[in-house]
Amino acid sequence: MSRMGVFICWCGANIAETVDCEEVARYARDLPGVYIAQSYKYMCSDPGQRIITDAIQEHQLTSVVVASCSPRMHEPTFRKTAATVGLNPYMLEMANIREHCSWVHTDRRDATEKAKDLVRLLVEKVKRNQPLYEIEMPVTQRVMVIGAGIAGIQAALDVAAAGHEVVLVERKPSIGGFMSMLDETFPTLDCSQCILTPRMVEIMQNDKITLRSNAEVEQVNGYVGNFGVKIRQKARSVDLDKCTGCGDCWNNCMAQNRIHEPEREPECSVASPEIAAKVDAIAAKYADEPGGMVVGALQDIQEEFNYLRQDALTYLSRRISVPLSRLFAVARFYGAFSLTPRGRHIIRVCLGTACHLRGGGSIADTISRELGIGDGETTPDEMFTLERVNCLGACALAPLVTIDGRYHGKMTIAKMIHLIEQCQESGDTVAV
Amino acid sequence: MTEATRLQTPDDLAALRARVVERRSAKKVCVSICAGTGCRAQGSMELLAEFGRQLESAGLDDVELRATGCHGFCERGPLVVIHPRKIFYHSVQMKHVADIIDKTIQHDEVLPALLFRDPKTKQRCEVEGEVPFYAKQQRIVFRHNGIIDPTDIEDYVGADGYVALAKVLAGMTPEQVCDEVEASGLRGRGGGGFPTGKKWQICRNQPGETKYVICNGDEGDPGAFMDRSIMEGDPHAVLEGMTIGAYAIGASKGYLYVRGEYPLAVANLNVAIEQAKTRGLLGDDIFGSGFNFTVEIVRGAGAFVCGEETGLIASIEGDIGTPRQRPPYPAESGLWGKPTNINNVETWTNVPVILERGASWFASIGTEGSKGTKVFSLVGKVNNTGLVEVPMGATLREIVFDIGGGIQKKRKFKAVQTGGPSGGCIPESLLDLPVDFDKLREVGAMMGSGGLIVMDERTCMVDVAKYFLGFLVGESCGRCAPCREGVFQMHRILSRIVEGEGREGDLETLEKLGNYVKASSLCQLGGTAPNPVLSTLRYFRHEYEAHIKEKKCRAGICKELVQFRIDPETCTGCTLCRRDCPTEAITGAKKEPHRIDAAQCIKCGVCYDVCNFGAVEVE
């Protein structure tokens, strides 16, 4: 059985001016599980803290809620206070009725109601709290840095300078990362090699750093202070102690003249010349428009290819110099766009108000049931795509379904089932 | 067709008009077929081709065949009108074509079977105006829809098109145009209801050379399609309105943002722009006035929030359509940071007719604070679904019952929802409310773009609220937390309620949360998102309570709370429900009472809806 104490702070006028603290206390007193509740001018002051410690001892409270300022201010204060009289500090929680309530509202009545809500939430939370205890664990004093770009290199050097052992893991045969490909760096135009190369050398010279290049992290387990990491060291058939890094073996390799790295899929699929030509034609249509006409171009692409194929979008993005991320944002925002291929037949069910009232919802459910697809989905055989649309603006025909743009009005469940069957049999759109 | 020459002066325009009117003499026979989306979906294009074939084989070369824009009466499509008597046939099918040509066209006989029969008076109506659906309407915005061929600029010119533009460019200063529009009392038809003339004036007074006008055709409200019909059926009126507006504020470039779901509107507008360019009505030095203006079409891509003006601007700029903080308003800093004026399709369409016929004529229509007419898309459980244009101040009862022909299947009226996902539901007790901007706001709904969704006793208001919130959860752009998180949480609570997991206090939480979201959202999507919940809570609280306390959905919609059964006394054993049941949950021999196997029933409600005897009940 929990015996909870709730303490409401006025914070001088900060809280009390907009929140009726006495009323909140009265309210809290009646909450299930709360044993006592009281308010005071400054809970964080010495007398205020004494009110809490006295109450914990006198009433043998098992948990405490302090409703006052942000926990960022005084949570450590109150938890220490509670701990001095033997309450587990994690059995104390704070309700923020200042920053989240009194400071941001003006209406006293509403603010008081909100403060009550906040207190009630925290009361429920504390009920579910369990005492936590701090323990000490031995920590392995070794650090692994994954990735030996400039950031990883500097991190490894800093940790080593602090006296710890470091393992630096890098997937590529050589460390240095992107910075090794740069000429100058922003904004000072410093020579990037002048920054990078001394540090690369330092990595090799530092006794505390073990470098594992051409290696990949396979598995990480354990927890902070005690991780276990499995590294796959790729074969390179070179004795590193004797290797001078001259590169002769690399240059003369009979196999492929390079170290084998696993093939990776290119990040963006590349548009074929035919697709590129079609996108070119679409982009040209909107070339004179200021600012974009992105939406129009995407509509045309969808009409052309039945959906927004990624290769076409990638190509368009470069063609009209609009970031791909923005094209995706637009494509996701508007309901008319589909980023996945659609079926050969597109069934659109109107769910405008008139259609809703005349049973459009049941028609949509029927299609879903018959074809096993939901809104925006396509059947596995790529025959049908179902789209629920807001209003097709032909309410006299409600409930209305269109298949490939052909209108089928005054639809009934029986008619719909029949229509789907006919489409499936003939493999073509059915005229009714 | 005369050669498409550039119209260099207003006199050229007048001459062209005279030629067109003369050629289309009133006595000539013309078959005009509705080619709006509603009628197309019901086969009007096939019908048009069939007419062409049969007229040719009958040797009737002088009969004109015309594909027009939407007539509005989509419920009864395809619609065919035979001029010069303007005989109005509805629900015309292929098999009727031969009869129409033989009897009506060649022998001037009317086919009674194809005429509209007034369900009240049982009278057949020969012309459109006699049909009750049209009788109470006043068509200003729809002045050309269903009459002209939208893909032929000469048709538009013949119907006094571009007269207003000629008048403006020939003799009015931009200030005079702004003043005229302001004096007419025209307010933005997109939903906000801001005075159009004032908006133009603000944009006009901004410093800077480059300014833009935008037409907002991103008709996102589900259940609203009036802008679609205008763009499809009368594209030149939109262009003319925009050109006049551009002249008034000093812009030389315009953008037409059209919803991606409206391919026909895009096609017709493209045709119209090309024709207007050829005729010199768009481009440089229009009517020799030195004023230049071009229009570009931008297609939307399925994001509701792009109907919000700052979201729309971001979308045209090629970005994701997230709204931004206002001010600065687009009039100060809009498209590419330049002063920009955005109006909705219907607003632009009103502009030419105001300048042609004068502000005082326009101001004489409507109510104190709302002038002119409003097009509503009347949809839902109403007999005559379609587009309806009435003067401001018409009552909901007139719209729903006189024009709309009442509720389907003679069920009981429950509510009408206005303003799309941001609007509210109006109960039966307020049916005599005169509809204008201010009255709707008073009762917790709003005009919005003009969707009017009729609901009957088979509509669950909790489900409706959940539907709208679900829509908005999907369409919230996610930029500000109140909308992204608040609406999501409200939707979660509603989902719980319809699943029978409603709890005491849920309704209070919904109200509280709703008011927070309203007060603190960045744009009007979030700012109005709680409206469907708050207005249904205001008028239909008892339905919510029945869901929460009794775990009952009386409308029979919320599947977790509904059990259908067949009353053996009333059931005639007609087998209709058994045949229509998708899961074969209904059993029973012919002429014997049927029963529903609860284990197999998926509660789709088909049996309830098809039963002609009211034998299926909601427990």
Side-chain angles (χ1 to χ4, degrees), chain A residues 283-294:
Chain A
K285 253 174 79 179
Y286 298 105
D288 299 338
E289 285 305 316
M293 290 298 229
V294 170

Side-chain angles (χ1 to χ4, degrees), chain B residues 104-313:
Chain B
T104 313
I105 294 178
Q106 292 191 304
H107 296 99
D108 210 21
E109 279 172 42
V110 177
L111 300 169
L114 292 175
L115 292 179
F116 183 82
R117 187 157 161 268
D118 187 341
K120 275 186 198 143
T121 60
K122 313 283 181 209
Q123 291 288 312
R124 300 270 175 193
C125 309
E126 197 180 297
V127 297
E128 217 172 56
E130 290 174 14
V131 178
F133 178 79
Y134 293 104
K136 286 219 172 182
Q137 296 194 38
Q138 180 174 8
R139 300 206 145 195
I140 294 174
V141 173
F142 269 172
R143 55 195 180 274
H144 302 133
N145 253 46
I147 296 168
I148 64 166
D149 178 351
T151 58
D152 186 355
I153 191 170
E154 295 197 359
D155 255 24
Y156 182 69
V157 170
D160 291 342
Y162 289 109
V163 168
L165 180 64
K167 181 177 162 188
V168 164
L169 293 184
M172 288 175 82
T173 64
E175 288 85 359
Q176 283 172 329
V177 178
C178 289
D179 290 346
E180 187 80 1
V181 174
E182 192 168 351
S184 73
L186 177 66
R187 292 170 68 174
R189 298 294 196 247
F194 192 83
T196 306
K198 199 176 274 174
K199 196 169 180 176
W200 289 10
Q201 201 75 259
I202 296 170
C203 192
R204 177 177 167 67
N205 291 337
Q206 293 300 316
E209 283 291 298
T210 314
K211 292 175 186 175
Y212 295 102
V213 290
I214 295 177
C215 172
N216 183 348
D218 189 51
E219 187 172 47
D221 285 4
F225 57 108
M226 62 293 280
D227 291 349
R228 160 181 215 158
S229 284
I230 297 168
M231 291 186 284
E232 286 175 2
D234 198 8
H236 283 288
V238 183
L239 295 179
E240 189 182 353
M242 285 178 76
T243 314
I244 294 171
Y247 173 73
I249 70 155
S252 58
K253 171 109 200 189
Y255 288 90
L256 248 160
Y257 192 93
V258 189
R259 236 184 128 209
E261 286 84 344
Y262 293 174
L264 183 60
V266 173
N268 285 1
L269 282 164
N270 265 322
V271 169
I273 290 175
E274 285 311 312
Q275 289 176 343
K277 274 186 194 161
T278 320
R279 293 290 188 172
L281 299 168
L282 280 177
D284 289 344
D285 196 17
I286 300 169
F287 282 135
S289 65
F291 169 65
N292 313 328
F293 183 60
T294 54
V295 174
E296 192 88 39
I297 292 181
V298 181
R299 286 171 298 158
F304 178 67
V305 73
C306 289
E308 202 277 346
E309 52 185 16
T310 58
L312 189 146
I313 288 172

Side-chain angles (χ1 to χ4, degrees), chain B residues 365-561:
Chain B
I365 305 161
T367 61
E368 181 67 40
S370 309
K371 299 299 182 194
T373 58
K374 176 77 191 93
V375 184
F376 290 101
S377 81
L378 186 62
V379 302
K381 305 286 188 76
V382 66
N383 272 321
N384 302 333
T385 291
L387 295 174
V388 171
E389 184 175 355
V390 288
M392 293 276 188
T395 67
L396 283 172
R397 192 183 298 280
E398 281 169 345
I399 298 172
V400 175
F401 287 91
D402 296 346
I403 297 173
I407 309 297
Q408 284 184 323
K409 298 188 181 177
K410 295 188 178 152
R411 291 214 174 100
K412 207 168 148 336
F413 174 88
K414 185 183 270 181
V416 54
Q417 207 273 355
T418 69
S422 332
C425 291
I426 302 169
E428 195 178 6
S429 57
L430 294 171
L431 261 182
D432 290 308
L433 187 82
V435 180
D436 68 11
F437 285 105
D438 311 309
K439 285 283 188 313
L440 283 175
R441 200 158 291 163
E442 274 169 35
V443 298
M446 62 185 253
M447 181 74 88
S449 57
L452 255 177
I453 293 134
V454 179
M455 302 171 182
D456 66 357
E457 53 188 329
R458 241 316 245 159
T459 308
C460 167
M461 299 315 278
V462 187
D463 173 71
V464 166
K466 183 190 148 219
Y467 162 78
F468 280 121
L469 255 58
F471 174 86
L472 291 162
V473 167
E475 293 297 337
S476 169
C477 76
R479 181 161 184 178
C480 72
C483 172
R484 182 184 64 230
E485 304 296 337
V487 180
F488 176 76
Q489 290 301 335
M490 290 175 75
H491 183 253
R492 247 175 55 166
I493 296 174
L494 286 170
S495 303
R496 248 192 18 237
I497 295 176
V498 301
E499 279 159 22
E501 306 283 326
R503 295 198 282 261
E504 199 75 11
D506 273 351
L507 300 187
E508 289 72 20
T509 311
L510 278 175
E511 276 168 333
K512 204 163 123 190
L513 208 51
N515 285 322
Y516 285 153
V517 172
K518 262 180 115 156
S520 51
S521 288
L522 179 66
C523 81
Q524 281 305 304
L525 188 146
T528 54
N531 284 359
V533 182
L534 297 177
S535 80
T536 45
L537 269 173
R538 181 163 158 193
Y539 298 115
F540 299 95
R541 204 181 183 89
H542 54 276
E543 284 198 28
Y544 283 86
E545 282 165 355
H547 279 71
I548 294 173
K549 288 181 189 152
E550 302 158 42
K551 310 283 178 208
K552 285 263 154 67
C553 174
R554 298 246 146 70
I557 293 292
C558 302
K559 290 184 177 161
E560 313 294 326
L561 306 178

Side-chain angles (χ1 to χ4, degrees), chain A residues 123-165:
Chain A
V123 165
E124 285 303 319
K125 178 175 193 294
V126 174
K127 275 190 200 165
R128 289 159 176 78
N129 278 12
Q130 285 179 3
L132 301 176
Y133 301 93
E134 285 159 21
I135 54 171
E136 283 199 8
M137 297 284 290
V139 168
T140 312
Q141 304 269 335
R142 260 169 97 212
V143 169
M144 174 177 285
V145 175
I146 300 170
I150 182 65
I153 289 173
Q154 189 62 48
L157 291 173
D158 286 351
V159 174
H164 302 293
E165 274 193 45

Side-chain angles (χ1 to χ4, degrees), chain A residues 347-409:
Chain A
I347 307 181
R348 309 177 96 192
V349 189
C350 178
L351 290 172
T353 321
C355 288
H356 174 79
L357 290 183
R358 291 193 187 174
S362 300
I363 304 289
D365 292 346
T366 304
I367 302 170
S368 291
R369 210 171 43 237
E370 291 292 313
L371 296 176
I373 47 174
D375 181 22
E377 292 177 0
T378 303
T379 50
D381 61 358
E382 295 193 349
M383 183 88 159
F384 296 104
T385 296
L386 172 63
E387 290 178 357
R388 292 163 164 250
V389 293
N390 284 337
C391 184
L392 291 166
C395 307
L397 306 171
L400 175 66
V401 173
T402 67
I403 302 184
D404 301 341
R406 186 183 273 274
Y407 288 73
H408 300 274

